[in-house]
Amino acid sequence: MEDWRQSITDWVDRGELLQATFSQLKRKDEAAAPRTVVRPIKLKSGLHYQFEFHYANKVKHENVAPAEGAGRMIEELEKHYRQALLKTPEADVQLLFSKKGKPAMLRKPPTAADKPKAEAHDRQKKRVLAGGAPPFLVELGIMSPEGNVYAKKQDKYRQINRFLEMVSDVLPHLPDGRELTIVDFGCGKSYLTFALYHLLAVELDKPVRVIGLDLKEDVIAFCSALAQKLGFDGLRFQVGDIGRFGELESADMVVTLHACDTATDAALAKAVQWEASVILSVPCCQHEAFGQIKSETLSPLLQHGLLKERFAALATDAARASLLEIAGYKSQILEFIDPEHTPKNILIRAVKQPDSSAAASVQDKWRRYAAYRDSLALAPYLEGQLAAIGKLPEHRS
C-alpha cells in the first residue's frame, strides 16, 4: 500500500502539487472548516502554500512556508478529514479514509485543466487567476467550486484576468513597505474590485486597504456582505458620490471603471489631487464632447450622429490622456478587452512621474494640447477640475 504521507511530502518537495482539496469531516460537530483547499502561490518572499478554509459563512486564508507545507497538510488530514483530492501533473489522486482510519489511494489521469498544453496554444498560462477556484469567483457566480468557469461567464472571466494583468504591470510603481490605499470609484457589483483585493492581499500578501464607492445602496449592501463572508478585512464598500468623496487625503491607486460621462473626469481629478501613483480608468458613455465639438474641416464626419458619437468619445479620451501628461503622469491608451465583446474597450493607464519633469516640457505639452482642444472647440470638464487644484499651467493659450 502506497504511503500517502510520503507521497504528499514528495510532491511538495518536488514542487509537483498543483492543488489539494480536503472534505468530509470525520465528525459532524467539528469546528474545523468543512472544506479546505491548498494551492501553491508566489509571494514576494517566495513560494508558499495557501490554505483556504471554507466555513459556512466565511473563508479564511493562511500562507505556509514550503518547509512546513507537507506537514501541515498531513496534520489537517489526520485530524479532520475523510477524503482528499490531490492534483499533480501526472495524476489526480483521491485519498479516502474508512471509518476506522484505513487509507486508500485511487489514481486517474490528470484533468484537462491540469495537463500541460503546447506553448503556442496555451492562452491560459498568461492568466493571473489560472488554476484553482478563488472563493470570490465562486460567490460571484463566475466559477464552480471545482474550478470550472461557467460558459456564460467566460467573457467576464477574461475581463478579470486582463484587468489583473494590467494591475500586475504597474505594481513596481506602487509604494513598497507600507499599507497601500486603493479607491475604486463607481465599483458597481465589484467583480474587478474583489479580483484586485484577492491579487494584492491574498496572492501577493500585501498590506492593502481598498475602498469601493458607488451610488447604488443595494449593490453596496451586497458587496459589503460578500467581503465579510470572504474574510476580506481590508476591503470596504460605501455609498457615495465621486465628486463629494472627501474621506481621504491621499491614495496610492485609483480605479474608475465605466463611470458615466464626466464622473470619469471627477475621479481622474481626485486621483491627481491625491497624487496617486497609478490610475486605471475605463470610460463609459461620454456626452460632454458630443455637445461641444465643432470643426469645419471635419464636417463630413460630424454630420453623421453615429460617427460623431464615436469620434467624440475618442477625442475625449485623447484630451484626458494629454491632461494627465501635463499634470505629471505618463499615460497610455490600452485595449481593455476585445472590441467584439463591448465597444467600451479603452483603458487609460497613468503612472505618476518624478517631480523632476522640466517646466519647458510641461509648457510644450500644454501648447500642443491647447491647439488640439481649440481645433475642436472643446471645453473639457477635466481641464477645469485640474486647473482648480493647481495642476495645470495658469493660462489658456
Side-chain angles (χ1 to χ4, degrees):
M1 177 64 193
E2 184 176 0
D3 185 343
W4 65 272
R5 299 177 184 84
Q6 187 61 50
S7 295
I8 291 177
T9 301
D10 291 343
W11 291 328
V12 171
D13 288 345
R14 294 195 297 262
E16 295 177 353
L17 185 69
L18 303 176
Q19 181 175 303
T21 303
F22 308 152
S23 58
Q24 196 171 348
L25 291 171
K26 292 181 178 179
R27 291 173 295 277
K28 292 183 178 180
D29 59 348
E30 273 198 273
R35 178 169 168 266
T36 295
V37 179
V38 184
R39 62 174 65 89
I41 62 171
K42 290 183 179 180
L43 303 179
K44 187 176 180 181
S45 54
L47 176 70
H48 281 65
Y49 285 89
Q50 183 178 89
F51 284 70
E52 205 169 68
F53 301 101
H54 292 248
Y55 296 89
N57 297 314
K58 61 182 177 180
V59 177
K60 290 186 177 180
H61 299 87
E62 181 181 347
N63 298 327
V64 176
E68 304 168 7
R72 180 63 184 279
M73 281 184 251
I74 293 169
E75 179 185 3
E76 289 290 331
L77 281 169
E78 288 180 330
K79 284 186 177 181
H80 305 299
Y81 298 100
R82 293 184 59 188
Q83 70 178 34
L85 177 62
L86 304 135
K87 295 188 176 186
T88 74
E90 300 301 323
D92 286 357
V93 180
Q94 190 171 19
L95 177 60
L96 303 172
F97 294 93
S98 68
K99 290 184 178 181
K100 294 183 179 181
K102 185 178 179 180
M105 292 182 71
L106 307 174
R107 290 173 175 265
K108 64 178 182 178
T111 56
D114 299 327
K115 292 180 180 178
K117 299 179 181 179
E119 183 171 335
H121 301 286
D122 184 10
R123 300 190 67 181
Q124 292 284 345
K125 65 187 178 67
K126 293 183 179 180
R127 291 184 174 172
V128 179
L129 292 177
F136 80 94
L137 289 180
V138 176
E139 294 291 340
L140 288 170
I142 293 174
M143 184 178 284
S144 72
E146 294 73 32
N148 300 313
V149 180
Y150 295 117
K152 293 182 179 180
K153 296 296 184 179
Q154 289 287 344
D155 290 348
K156 178 61 70 174
Y157 182 69
R158 281 192 289 269
Q159 182 189 63
I160 290 171
N161 274 280
R162 175 60 173 155
F163 175 69
L164 293 185
E165 286 175 15
M166 293 180 168
V167 172
S168 298
D169 289 342
V170 297
L171 288 181
H173 299 282
L174 291 171
D176 201 6
R178 64 169 175 80
E179 182 183 68
L180 297 173
T181 298
I182 299 174
V183 181
D184 184 353
F185 284 124
C187 59
K189 196 173 179 181
S190 301
Y191 292 97
L192 301 183
T193 322
F194 281 105
L196 176 63
Y197 186 86
H198 174 85
L199 173 66
L200 297 177
V202 179
E203 298 288 351
L204 301 180
D205 199 26
K206 288 181 175 291
V208 61
R209 173 176 57 149
V210 179
I211 300 172
L213 192 77
D214 200 276
L215 289 171
K216 299 177 182 178
E217 294 185 8
D218 58 335
V219 170
I220 292 299
F222 168 82
C223 293
S224 297
L226 180 54
Q228 185 176 8
K229 180 177 182 180
L230 293 169
F232 285 2
D233 297 332
L235 177 58
R236 179 166 60 86
F237 296 92
Q238 66 184 71
V239 178
D241 178 79
I242 295 173
R244 299 178 181 177
F245 183 75
E247 181 176 322
L248 301 175
E249 294 184 357
S250 64
D252 300 300
M253 180 175 176
V254 171
V255 178
T256 168
L257 305 175
H258 301 119
C260 188
D261 201 18
T262 56
T264 291
D265 300 299
L268 294 177
K270 188 73 72 173
V272 173
Q273 183 178 14
W274 286 334
E275 298 189 347
S277 299
V278 172
I279 303 171
L280 298 175
S281 175
V282 177
C284 188
C285 53
Q286 302 168 8
H287 305 303
E288 182 191 35
F290 184 87
Q292 298 175 350
I293 196 166
K294 295 178 183 178
S295 171
E296 187 65 30
T297 303
L298 296 177
S299 58
L301 182 153
L302 300 179
Q303 68 180 335
H304 302 286
L306 178 61
L307 296 180
K308 182 180 179 181
E309 180 182 4
R310 293 183 180 179
F311 181 76
L314 295 174
T316 300
D317 289 334
R320 286 166 172 159
S322 295
L323 287 166
L324 289 172
E325 291 269 352
I326 296 167
Y329 287 80
K330 178 177 176 58
S331 59
Q332 296 173 285
I333 302 289
L334 305 172
E335 187 175 81
F336 183 31
I337 51 177
D338 293 337
E340 65 186 77
H341 301 305
T342 173
K344 312 297 185 183
N345 71 321
I346 283 179
L347 181 140
I348 302 172
R349 184 170 69 187
V351 175
K352 190 81 170 68
Q353 297 300 290
D355 294 333
S356 57
S357 299
S361 175
V362 173
Q363 288 294 336
D364 182 58
K365 291 177 181 177
W366 173 257
R367 282 192 293 271
R368 285 189 282 118
Y369 160 75
Y372 164 77
R373 174 201 66 204
D374 294 343
S375 71
L376 297 176
L378 296 177
Y381 178 84
L382 180 58
E383 180 185 330
Q385 293 294 297
L386 295 180
I389 59 175
K391 297 296 183 179
L392 297 179
E394 295 181 2
H395 64 281
R396 288 175 62 94
S397 59

